[in-house]
Amino acid sequence: MATTTYIGFFRPNSDQVIYEAWRETGANPAALLEKVRGFPASLPSTCKLVGSWVASGGEVPGVMVVETESYADIQHINQYYYGWLRFDWHPVATGGVART
């Protein structure tokens, strides 16, 4: 089956919750960290996490790259992080290195 690569730009759904945790503890909320750690195992077999990056300081959005066979996998990611992160997904039409 053909796969599509998607680039997702994400930001906190509620800056206030994350920033309050940073002010109080110097770290993200424990519940969000648990979500992040559990994310790869939550993915359907039709979705592959290529990578995810977040710049310090919150000035720019984080980036997630996935390869998927179905847009339903993108919906899964949106639902998984519901309440924590909001995504702006973009399919990649061309480019990249062929995977073997």
Side-chain angles (χ1 to χ4, degrees):
M1 180 167 267
T3 61
T4 302
T5 301
Y6 283 88
I7 298 174
F9 299 97
F10 62 89
R11 291 192 181 272
N13 193 38
S14 171
D15 292 341
Q16 182 177 1
V17 171
I18 303 233
Y19 293 137
E20 282 179 12
W22 270 98
R23 278 194 302 269
E24 293 173 12
T25 67
N28 283 317
L32 176 57
L33 293 175
E34 185 177 318
K35 279 277 191 193
V36 171
R37 289 182 188 116
F39 176 67
S42 82
L43 288 173
S45 62
T46 54
C47 188
K48 178 181 178 181
L49 175 64
V50 176
S52 185
W53 304 268
V54 179
S56 297
E59 297 288 323
V60 297
V63 178
M64 182 180 292
V65 180
V66 296
E67 292 176 344
T68 180
E69 295 176 10
S70 167
Y71 190 76
D73 296 340
I74 298 301
Q75 293 171 321
H76 167 81
I77 296 168
N78 289 339
Q79 281 299 109
Y80 183 84
Y81 281 113
Y82 180 78
W84 289 106
L85 303 175
R86 63 182 185 275
F87 285 86
D88 182 17
W89 291 102
H90 300 271
V92 177
T94 62
V97 177
R99 294 186 179 256
T100 56

